[in-house]
Amino acid sequence: MGIKKQDKKHSQKKEYSKDSFKPRAEKKEYSKDSFKPKAEKKEYSKDSFKPKAEKKEYSKDSFTPREEKRSYSTEESENKFDGEFKKKERHGENRQVPKPRRHVEMKICGIHACHMVFKKRPQDIIRAYVTENQLKEFTKVLKYCADKKLAYRVVTDDELERISESSHHEGVCFLVRKIPTVTLEDFLAEHEKNNQPACVVALENVQNPHNLGAIMRVCASFGVKAILLSQAEAAMSGAAYRTSEGGAEWIKVISTDSFEKSVQAFRKSNFKVMSTTSHTGKSLFEIEMPRKLLVLFGSEGDGLSQQLLKAGDNLVRIPSTGHVESLNVACASSIILAEFWRNNMK
């Protein structure tokens, strides 16, 4: 019997398993112990079949998770630093001396300057350093520091010179908070409503800290309320404070960007303005001293600028023999301010 030819096209070729003519199923992967499909691989801990928890970091002494790292504010960092410093103060010979934060703190040296700070504002003392020779002189200060748990140290002269950054420390140095400067507006608002005597010294281009300290000493002696400066930092230096012998604690410091504008502001607040010179002008002893006075002083080398020479209501000189060209600005201020005191405040 012959083979019949297929009328239809060959159907697609199918792949059959060895044991049946059914089409092969897609290949599946089975575990060794069962015919169920393998589950996705999970990671287990050694002691249990539970999935491993996320790794946490623990401290050495407990199983409590470590706190996240904190970022400290400037104030917190400074407090932390102060705490660490106090520990070093009590222990060890190689103690470090922290640097002051210059915008808010300063170092003050000198017996009279330090005594005046303790008398007027003991709450602003941060640390105290004294030599053995000054222990008796500053017994009250050290007792105060101990009561208030403030750091203090007894040091050698060489150590104090390094700490104070001055060879004229006189055996004592305080780290204190700075007294903030006063704005011109606030000062005038305080004094324009009353008729009490008031004198202010304006210093143009006077920046030597020893001259400034001597002037503040004179101002404190004769009741001057404030000094007006273009650079207030010069008057708030350790050298100026030491030279003032405590006088700086009684004087307010006003900072200005323009002496000409400041002069006009004082004049509007009923202050008379006096310009000083060494050669021309009226004699100091021939003019009437007003109750409210702004006195303008210039540097020893150049004196007042032409603008400020013309800005005064009076141009005044100190009469003398003429044997010397001029007086030191601190000496000149003492004569003029003593005359103001004699006429208004004695």
Side-chain angles (χ1 to χ4, degrees):
M1 192 171 171
I3 298 173
K4 292 182 181 180
K5 294 181 179 180
Q6 292 182 352
D7 295 330
K8 295 180 180 180
K9 290 183 180 180
H10 290 287
S11 58
Q12 292 180 354
K13 185 177 179 180
K14 294 184 179 179
E15 191 175 5
Y16 295 91
S17 64
K18 295 179 181 180
D19 301 326
S20 70
F21 289 99
K22 292 180 181 179
R24 282 184 179 170
E26 292 181 2
K27 188 176 181 179
K28 292 184 178 179
E29 189 176 5
Y30 294 91
S31 63
K32 294 179 180 180
D33 302 325
S34 71
F35 288 96
K36 292 181 181 178
K38 282 185 176 177
E40 291 181 2
K41 187 176 181 180
K42 291 185 178 180
E43 189 176 5
Y44 294 90
S45 63
K46 294 180 181 180
D47 303 325
S48 72
F49 288 97
K50 292 181 181 178
K52 283 185 177 177
E54 292 181 3
K55 187 177 180 181
K56 290 185 179 180
E57 191 175 7
Y58 294 89
S59 63
K60 294 180 180 179
D61 303 324
S62 71
F63 289 96
T64 307
R66 284 182 181 167
E67 293 182 0
E68 293 180 2
K69 188 176 181 181
R70 290 180 61 193
S71 59
Y72 292 89
S73 64
T74 304
E75 184 176 353
E76 288 175 324
S77 299
E78 287 167 354
N79 290 338
K80 185 178 179 183
F81 176 80
D82 284 345
E84 291 174 355
F85 173 74
K86 286 178 181 178
K87 290 180 182 178
K88 290 181 181 179
E89 283 283 318
R90 300 188 191 100
H91 306 288
E93 296 179 357
N94 299 322
R95 295 171 247 188
Q96 295 180 356
V97 179
K99 293 181 179 180
R101 297 170 293 173
R102 296 195 179 277
H103 58 294
V104 292
E105 298 174 356
M106 64 180 295
K107 292 175 182 177
I108 294 177
C109 303
I111 295 173
H112 295 294
C114 289
H115 270 313
M116 190 58 69
V117 170
F118 181 63
K119 177 181 178 180
K120 289 210 67 182
R121 50 187 182 108
Q123 71 280 0
D124 286 339
I125 297 174
I126 300 170
R127 295 184 185 90
Y129 305 90
V130 297
T131 61
E132 289 188 4
N133 292 335
Q134 295 297 350
L135 280 176
K136 186 176 179 180
E137 181 75 28
F138 287 93
T139 300
K140 291 183 179 179
V141 176
L142 299 184
K143 185 178 183 303
Y144 172 84
C145 290
D147 292 341
K148 298 296 181 180
K149 297 182 180 179
L150 301 175
Y152 68 89
R153 281 173 54 189
V154 179
V155 295
T156 65
D157 285 329
D158 291 339
E159 284 179 308
L160 192 55
E161 185 172 336
R162 177 175 59 84
I163 292 167
S164 64
E165 302 174 73
S166 171
S167 58
H168 305 288
H169 48 69
E170 297 180 10
V172 60
C173 176
F174 289 173
L175 178 65
V176 302
R177 294 178 184 86
K178 282 185 176 181
I179 301 175
T181 57
V182 180
T183 65
L184 180 59
E185 293 76 12
D186 288 345
F187 179 84
L188 292 177
E190 180 184 349
H191 290 278
E192 68 183 352
K193 294 181 181 179
N194 61 63
N195 195 36
Q196 295 298 316
C199 182
V200 177
V201 169
L203 302 170
E204 184 187 36
N205 296 325
V206 180
Q207 298 177 6
N208 183 290
H210 298 95
N211 278 340
L212 288 169
I215 292 169
M216 286 192 287
R217 184 177 182 179
V218 171
C219 289
S221 180
F222 294 115
V224 172
K225 302 296 183 182
I227 58 174
L228 180 70
L229 298 167
S230 58
Q231 294 182 358
E233 284 300 313
M236 303 179 77
S237 66
Y241 263 69
R242 180 182 58 78
T243 309
S244 76
E245 297 288 339
E249 289 296 313
W250 298 91
I251 307 299
K252 294 179 179 179
V253 178
I254 306 171
S255 181
T256 181
D257 295 328
S258 171
F259 277 99
E260 290 82 1
K261 290 181 181 178
S262 297
V263 168
Q264 295 305 319
F266 273 99
R267 186 173 278 117
K268 288 179 182 178
S269 296
N270 300 319
F271 277 76
K272 295 295 183 180
V273 181
M274 178 189 293
S275 298
T276 61
T277 178
S278 57
H279 302 295
T280 60
K282 296 180 180 179
S283 168
L284 172 66
F285 306 122
E286 294 175 356
I287 65 169
E288 182 180 350
M289 278 286 176
R291 291 179 64 80
K292 290 188 175 182
L293 178 65
L294 174 67
V295 190
L296 308 179
F297 292 98
S299 64
E300 292 179 38
D302 301 324
L304 284 173
S305 62
Q306 288 298 316
Q307 292 88 341
L308 291 187
L309 280 173
K310 297 176 182 178
D313 299 306
N314 286 310
L315 181 61
V316 175
R317 62 180 175 83
I318 299 171
S320 65
T321 61
H323 293 165
V324 292
E325 183 180 357
S326 63
L327 293 175
N328 172 282
V329 63
C331 294
S333 68
S334 65
I335 296 171
I336 293 175
L337 298 178
E339 190 68 7
F340 175 82
W341 170 269
R342 187 179 71 83
N343 282 271
N344 292 292
M345 302 178 70
K346 63 179 181 179

